[in-house]
Every structure is written in C-alpha cells, then in structure tokens.
Amino acid sequence: MDSTHEEPSFNFPLFIHLNPDLEISMNYAERIQHLTGSVARDILSRCQDQSIISFAGGLPGREAWQGLDLPKPEVTSFQYGASEGDAGLRALFASRLGSIGVDVPTEQILVTSGSQQGLDLVSKLWIDPESAVAVESPTYLAALQVFRLFQAEMVTIETGPQGLDLERLEHVLKTHRPRFLYLNPTFQNPSGNCYPEDNRREIAAILDCYADHTVLIEDDPYRELNYEREEAPLPIVSHLKTANWVYLGTTSKIIIPGARIGLLAASGSFISELQKLKQAADLHSSRLSQQVVLELLSNSEWVHARMKHLQQVYRVKRNLMHEELLKHANEIAQWQCPQGGMFFWLRLNQRTDLKMALNRCLDRGVAFMPGDPFFAESTEHGQWIRLNFTSPDESDIRRFLPVIFETIGQGE
Ligand code: PMP
C-alpha cells in the first residue's frame, strides 16, 4: 500500500494559514470588509514593543495600582456561572445606579466583559446593514469600529463644551430615524466634554418624543474621574420618561481594566435578547474578576478612599499637563482644560500631516493620538489631537510633551 494514501486529508486551519493561495479563496462573511483595525490599539502595541512614552492610549497610571490588594479568589468562582452575571454583583450595580438617579431592578442588569462588550451586544441587537445610528462628532473610536463592522450608516451630531447640538439632534431623529443614539456625555472620550444639566434634560425631552424608534445608548466610563466637583451631573437616562435606553458602565477606570468587568442596564424587555447575545458571545464574564470586583466595591470605605486617591493623582497630572501645554502648545493649538476623564483634546491652528508627525514622534520615543479616527465621516481634518494625561509619569509629561509640539510645529 502506498504510504501517502494513509495520510488523512484534513483541512487543518494551520495549513490554510500557511498557504497564501487558499487564504485568498476563504469565504469570509461580507461584514469582514467593514472590519477596521483600531488605530489606538495599533499605536499602543508599538508603544509596548519599544517602551515608548505614550500619551496615545486611555490607560490608568501606575499610581492606580499603588496599595491595591486584590482579594484571593474563592473556589466557588472556579465554576461556570450565570450569563447575566453573579447575583451579588448585579445587585450591587443596581444600588450604585440608584445612587446616580437610575432606578433599575437587578433583573435589568447584565455583567459584561467591559463596556466594550456592551457596545458589541447593542450593535448585534439593533444594527442591520445600512441601519442609521446617530453618534456624536467626535466620538469614541472603538464604538465606531463596532458600529462599522455591523455596517451601520452613521449620522453625526456636533458636540461641544455646551453639550449636544439640540437642533441637529431633533433633525436627525425626525429624518433619519436612527435605531439608536450613542452618547458619552460625561467627560467624553476624546473631547473631555461634560454635558451641562440643562442640555441633558433637553436631550431626554427630545428623545421622549421619538421613543417609538430610537433607543439611547449612554456610555459612562469616566463618571468617577471627576476633578472639579463633588458629583458629575446625573446620567441622561435618569431623565427619560418614555424613551428606551441602555446604560453602559465599567470598573476599568476605577479598579483595573485587566479584570474586564462592566455592566449593562436596560429599560425594556429587550434585556432578555441582550442576555442571549451575551450567552452566545462568551457564556459569562470571568467569575474570578466578578468576585474580586464585588468584594472591593462592597466596601464603601475602600471605594471612598480609592476614588479620592485616583481623583487626587489624576488631578495633579491634569494640572501639570495644562501648565506644560500653556508653555509649549499655546502658539499652535487651542484646548479646554477637562474637568474629568483622561484626555486633553486639542485643535491645532493649522492643518498638519499628523501621520508624519506621529511617526517622527515615535522615532523620538513618544506617542500621541491623531484626532481624525474619532470622527465618523472619513474627512481628513488633520487638526485635532488627543493627549492622555493619566498614564504618563509627571517627569515624562515635563520631558516629552515639548517633543510632541516641537515635532508638530515643524510639520506645519
Ligand atoms: N467606552 C468608552 C467611551 C471608552 O473610553 C472605553 C475605554 N477606553 C470603553 C467604552 C471600553 O472600556 P472597557 O471595555 O474597559 O470597560
């Protein structure tokens, strides 16, 4: 018998990857044409490879790990669990939401693997190819990445320090009838804007008039990173009367992002569809992480001290960054000092080739985030940059911020 006939002819995935011709003929789903890489994550991976000082990502600073003793996981968390999340943690999230004006029963809450998973689940539930989805301009770029994957038709609404453009909102809701409106109104990524109370109430009143077709998705990861006042204004969902809503929260910015624990709360019966989507996506979020988060957040003294610590260290860095920007960027850019969150959002006085400037910066050991990917329209503004102030050390802020503006200044 010819020994070659004894070889089974399975199409091992490994073989497919090793054979470029076969790879070309693979039948990917149509939506994969709409799959874009995240610019931020690309820059981040280059930063990790080359120990570059990064102002590009949205990472906590190393002070966030200081004195952070994580509880040891118990055997009970080694087992598979419920898709909707552990009961104790959902109840705790319900009570935290109640304290910011969002009265929602525990059954209407899912524990998610970060709020990023919440974005994926709502996209799966509501977006068909060419469905209209309304987003802020600018908006969170990884939300755009998911909405694009599901082939949403993005409709934009201007946002600024005074909040959302209400006239445009009304027009968009009336004429485009978006499946949902995605907002990050509290210390927004990337702009740092925090919508004033009045603007929030007006947005809610307008949404209530279009409750039959548009759901509000409120993404609220930065609420606790609040440097100027006792409390950030209540979420917009707390003002809604008839419109449906989904609220996304996370523990990434207040505990550790590596735990990947977020929450999704929803107003309607569609929570059961979201729960099934969650089941299909990952069965459930890490039970080890859920246990750790529950134990930490159940201790109100710990929570209070933790918030004070983070607010204090990030406030110092924010103030330093603002001072350094006044020294090095005043001639070439404009910005507002953010009241919370993790970012400065700068508008350059002139259009600049920011890809070239970024490459030059990377060669000099520092990274920033060009602003264009935060706009849903593919226009090249070449005029915006986002700078993270929570991750770099104070000495790095002093040393490397001038390098960024020297490089950008040369490119003008
Ligand atoms: N939404 C916004 C606006 C964010 O900035 C981030 C993190 N950068 C996320 C969602 C995702 O956060 P996580 O998945 O870590 O909860």
Side-chain angles (χ1 to χ4, degrees):
M1 196 192 197
D2 183 343
S3 67
T4 54
H5 287 143
E6 287 169 26
E7 293 289 325
S9 59
F10 298 136
N11 275 337
F12 287 113
L14 180 66
F15 171 68
I16 291 172
H17 284 290
L18 291 175
N19 184 330
D21 296 334
L22 273 183
E23 199 156 0
I24 291 164
S25 67
M26 278 176 74
N27 290 322
Y28 287 137
E30 217 269 313
R31 78 176 76 85
I32 295 304
Q33 289 176 29
H34 307 271
L35 179 62
T36 51
S38 155
V39 190
R41 299 215 74 78
D42 291 347
I43 298 174
L44 216 66
S45 75
R46 195 162 159 195
C47 293
Q48 270 161 1
D49 293 349
Q50 303 173 12
S51 55
I52 282 168
I53 301 302
S54 177
F55 295 82
L59 277 58
R62 60 198 171 97
E63 303 86 351
W65 327 139
Q66 270 167 13
L68 185 63
D69 282 328
L70 298 185
K72 192 166 176 287
E74 284 163 19
V75 179
T76 47
S77 65
F78 294 180
Q79 191 52 275
Y80 283 115
S83 297
E84 59 272 27
D86 290 2
L89 185 57
R90 291 166 73 211
L92 181 129
F93 283 150
S95 114
R96 284 174 65 85
L97 287 175
S99 73
I100 52 168
V102 184
D103 290 318
V104 60
T106 305
E107 306 78 65
Q108 296 289 120
I109 296 178
L110 303 180
V111 176
T112 57
S113 301
S115 42
Q116 191 67 33
Q117 183 177 49
L119 293 171
D120 182 67
L121 300 180
V122 298
S123 300
K124 284 175 177 160
L125 185 59
W126 277 298
I127 308 177
D128 282 321
E130 294 177 25
S131 304
V133 160
V135 296
E136 297 154 303
S137 183
T139 186
Y140 172 47
L141 86 177
L144 289 177
Q145 187 187 26
V146 193
F147 303 160
R148 284 199 183 111
L149 174 63
F150 289 94
Q151 299 163 59
E153 198 67 61
M154 238 83 75
V155 190
T156 58
I157 306 175
E158 287 283 318
T159 173
Q162 294 318 311
L164 201 64
D165 177 340
L166 299 172
E167 224 172 280
R168 172 80 181 149
L169 170 66
E170 181 117 41
H171 172 79
V172 165
L173 294 179
K174 199 184 283 176
T175 57
H176 294 270
R177 301 171 65 83
R179 296 270 173 97
F180 61 71
L181 165 68
Y182 168 68
L183 298 180
N184 171 204
T186 310
F187 313 131
Q188 198 224 22
N189 180 2
S191 67
N193 290 328
C194 184
Y195 294 11
E197 184 77 39
D198 293 359
N199 187 255
R200 289 170 188 250
R201 287 183 187 280
E202 286 174 89
I203 292 170
I206 295 172
L207 277 164
D208 279 337
C209 300
Y210 297 90
D212 58 327
H213 58 71
T214 302
V215 178
L216 172 63
I217 312 292
E218 181 164 0
D219 191 8
D220 205 10
Y222 299 104
R223 162 163 301 275
E224 290 90 351
L225 302 186
N226 167 14
Y227 313 124
E228 295 297 336
R229 42 188 155 184
E230 272 306 299
E231 299 292 339
L234 298 182
I236 298 172
V237 301
S238 72
H239 301 301
L240 289 173
K241 295 195 171 65
T242 51
N244 274 307
W245 54 265
V246 172
Y247 176 91
L248 304 176
T250 185
T251 62
S252 290
K253 314 296 173 186
I254 54 170
I255 306 182
I256 47 171
R260 308 304 305 129
I261 295 296
L263 71 108
L264 179 158
S267 62
S269 57
F270 53 85
I271 189 75
S272 65
E273 311 306 332
L274 289 165
Q275 184 181 331
K276 283 178 227 154
L277 287 166
K278 162 84 185 159
Q279 211 169 48
D282 64 356
L283 303 185
H284 60 75
S285 300
S286 159
R287 296 200 71 203
L288 303 181
S289 295
Q290 290 189 68
Q291 190 212 315
V292 166
V293 166
L294 174 60
E295 233 173 288
L296 293 176
L297 290 185
S298 301
N299 180 343
S300 51
E301 262 173 49
W302 181 87
V303 173
H304 183 75
R306 174 86 179 150
M307 298 311 164
K308 286 277 160 255
H309 170 66
L310 292 179
Q311 285 163 357
Q312 197 212 322
V313 292
Y314 292 161
R315 187 187 296 113
V316 168
K317 285 182 170 184
R318 179 207 58 172
N319 292 347
L320 174 64
M321 180 90 107
H322 184 56
E323 282 162 26
E324 291 299 305
L325 285 171
L326 286 171
K327 283 190 218 153
H328 303 286
N330 217 10
E331 304 283 293
I332 60 170
Q334 293 163 41
W335 67 93
Q336 297 226 339
C337 188
Q339 297 187 350
M342 290 189 159
F343 307 104
F344 278 83
W345 179 239
L346 290 90
R347 188 190 170 102
L348 304 174
N349 297 337
Q350 287 182 38
R351 281 175 192 273
T352 306
D353 183 344
L354 289 174
K355 273 188 208 137
M356 189 173 75
L358 175 60
N359 277 325
R360 285 195 190 144
C361 278
L362 288 168
D363 291 341
R364 295 178 70 182
V366 58
F368 68 88
M369 187 66 206
D372 283 352
F374 296 93
F375 293 91
E377 321 86 32
S378 53
T379 342
E380 292 214 357
H381 299 269
Q383 238 180 331
W384 296 93
I385 65 169
R386 190 192 73 175
L387 294 175
N388 166 258
F389 58 86
T390 54
S391 159
D393 289 342
E394 287 172 44
S395 58
D396 291 331
I397 295 178
R398 286 200 187 83
R399 204 166 135 221
F400 285 96
L401 213 59
V403 176
I404 295 179
F405 289 98
E406 215 178 277
T407 313
I408 289 177
Q410 284 164 4
E412 278 192 346

